Amino acid sequence: MKKRSWAEPWKIKMVEPLRMTSRQTRERALAEAGYNTFLLRSEDVYIDLLTDSGTSAMSDRQWAALMLGDEAYAGSRNYYDLEQAMRDVYGYSEFIPTHQGRGAEYLLSQLMIEPGQFVPGNMYFTTTRYHQELAGGRFVDVIVDEAHDPSSTFPFKGNVCLNKLQGLIDEHGAGKIAYLSLETNVNMAGGQPCSMKNIKATCDLCHQHGIPVFLDATRCVENAWFIKDREPGWADRAIAEIVREICACTDGCTMSGKKDSLVNIGGFLAVNETKLAEEARNLLVCHEGLHTYGGMAGRDMAAMAIGIRESIEEDHIRSRVGQVRYLGQRLQHAGVPIVQPIGGHGIYLDAAAFLDHLPREEFPAQALAAALYLDSGLRTMERGAVSAGRDAEGNNIFPRLELVRLTIPRRVYTQAHMDVTAESVMEVWDRRREVVGLRMTHEPVRLRFFQAMFSPTVGGTVLPAESSPESAVEC
Ligand code: PLI
């Protein structure tokens, strides 16, 4: 059969101009940002792959819905629409809106965790673990070993290792376990999915011991796509059905609407138990806002109600994951070390392999993110030791994965942007031996990766200018 080309299932109705920058401008901007891509000004960035969180392009239907925002303090019409969308797509009975995912994580952690309890999960996420620890819990990683190996091609690297989970229950007893935190399309592992078989087995094991399971549904739709694509028996099922089936196994979820749900702000906690929902609403009014807006404006809720329904459209999700795969395959063909298999929301460069001349203490992933920015104005994110932070004794945690994430916002960039991105990564790959490590000069106490500052260990830059080409991006 002849190969046919693929294109995004949308056309562009409004454009946002991008600013081209010179190498000199980027040099200055990066130094001012302390070599931390989080601290760059967005106007100094050309292609922004820092995150897929809140960076999606909304559809014309969503923009139109903004004008129908009902900004009543209490009982906004948009709240009821959003509640209905959540029930139709995710299936939980109780809906508690929050300003974004971490608002929901705070509520859940405060209500479910008693100090000293364990919270097993399939790899940590920064804000999730932070809230679990704030509530006195102790996170325990129970993801399969393959998830920690960037070169393993296991198709469901998000899976929970049932032996590790059983071991934790045997060692401490079910009563010491607050709940299992089950993330779909595991972010820190490279956007790697869980299989339906594993989700069901994990939930069964927990429920046999009376341990509740709360889903982090942030990228559940993307996970559903991989189940359809890779897991025997699911190819003919609709994405909507798969999402419902995942959720049906669990007792509730936290959700950052800023990812799958195609909005710039918003989130929710959803549960099935009425008493827990009542307690959550009570806590919500102290921290987020009234229980019928939870930190969102009426118009935000209107846009999210539509975004939730658009997120499960087959054409959308196929092209969303397809665009990520396109970029990943270009890098694979060039021999760039990336996390395998290609994940759902971004490409993760294996910085430890990419910059194998740098010791972990010199934060290779942070240095690589800085070098990519210098090369082309491409903004990426460190997901390694800086993100992992320190352990209870105050020592740096050096996780096995030292990654740089190229996260693709939904419906924002075209295939041409993916080509420019791939070429920049390949350029730095060719010059990798010239990349210099970093030392941390400022370290915030909480979630340090957001605001930490660095300087090069030698010289005044992470990537010398000499051989950098004056490319199409006027670098
Ligand atoms: O950024 P929030 O507060 O809406 O959501 C927090 C959050 C929870 N779970 C997962 C898996 C996330 O990926 C997540 C946020 N992720 C960000 C900001 C990211 O850049 O990946």
Side-chain angles (χ1 to χ4, degrees), residues 79-98:
Y79 163 79
Y80 296 102
D81 288 347
L82 181 55
E83 181 183 53
Q84 195 57 51
M86 185 287 293
R87 283 190 181 142
D88 290 347
V89 172
Y90 295 96
Y92 301 107
S93 53
E94 302 283 347
F95 173 69
I96 296 108
T98 59

Side-chain angles (χ1 to χ4, degrees), residues 227-265:
I227 290 175
K228 185 179 170 98
D229 195 41
R230 295 181 185 166
E231 191 166 350
W234 292 92
D236 296 330
R237 301 283 290 274
I239 290 296
E241 280 179 80
I242 302 174
V243 169
R244 277 297 285 265
E245 195 139 342
I246 294 172
C247 297
C249 304
T250 66
D251 299 279
C253 79
T254 53
M255 176 73 184
S256 168
K258 301 171 74 174
K259 285 78 165 176
D260 269 355
S261 306
L262 298 161
V263 284
N264 307 121
I265 195 72

Side-chain angles (χ1 to χ4, degrees), residues 74-211:
S76 161
R77 180 178 61 243
N78 311 120
Y79 163 79
Y80 296 102
D81 288 347
L82 181 55
E83 181 183 53
Q84 195 57 51
M86 185 287 293
R87 283 190 181 142
D88 290 347
V89 172
Y90 295 96
Y92 301 107
S93 53
E94 302 283 347
F95 173 69
I96 296 108
T98 59
H99 76 286
Q100 60 184 91
R102 67 200 73 181
E105 290 171 347
Y106 172 76
L107 299 175
L108 183 70
S109 304
Q110 290 295 321
L111 294 172
M112 291 297 300
I113 301 171
E114 284 169 23
Q117 279 190 314
F118 296 93
V119 189
N122 49 346
M123 201 170 267
Y124 83 101
F125 183 71
T126 52
T127 58
T128 321
R129 188 183 65 187
Y130 173 78
H131 282 299
Q132 291 162 357
E133 289 174 352
L134 187 70
R138 248 180 76 187
F139 171 80
V140 182
D141 189 1
V142 293
I143 202 166
V144 292
D145 285 343
E146 287 87 341
H148 294 281
D149 174 3
S151 62
S152 161
T153 55
F154 184 59
F156 291 105
K157 287 166 89 171
N159 280 357
V160 168
C161 172
L162 297 177
N163 288 338
K164 289 184 193 172
L165 181 58
Q166 184 68 62
L168 188 75
I169 298 170
D170 292 344
E171 190 180 345
H172 299 286
K176 283 287 276 181
I177 298 176
Y179 59 89
L180 177 100
S181 178
L182 182 65
E183 186 184 334
T184 31
N185 248 34
V186 179
N187 192 353
M188 300 301 275
Q192 302 293 330
C194 313
S195 69
M196 186 68 87
K197 192 169 165 222
N198 182 264
I199 292 171
K200 289 188 176 191
T202 301
C203 294
D204 283 349
L205 177 60
C206 285
H207 290 151
Q208 276 161 26
H209 290 86
I211 300 167

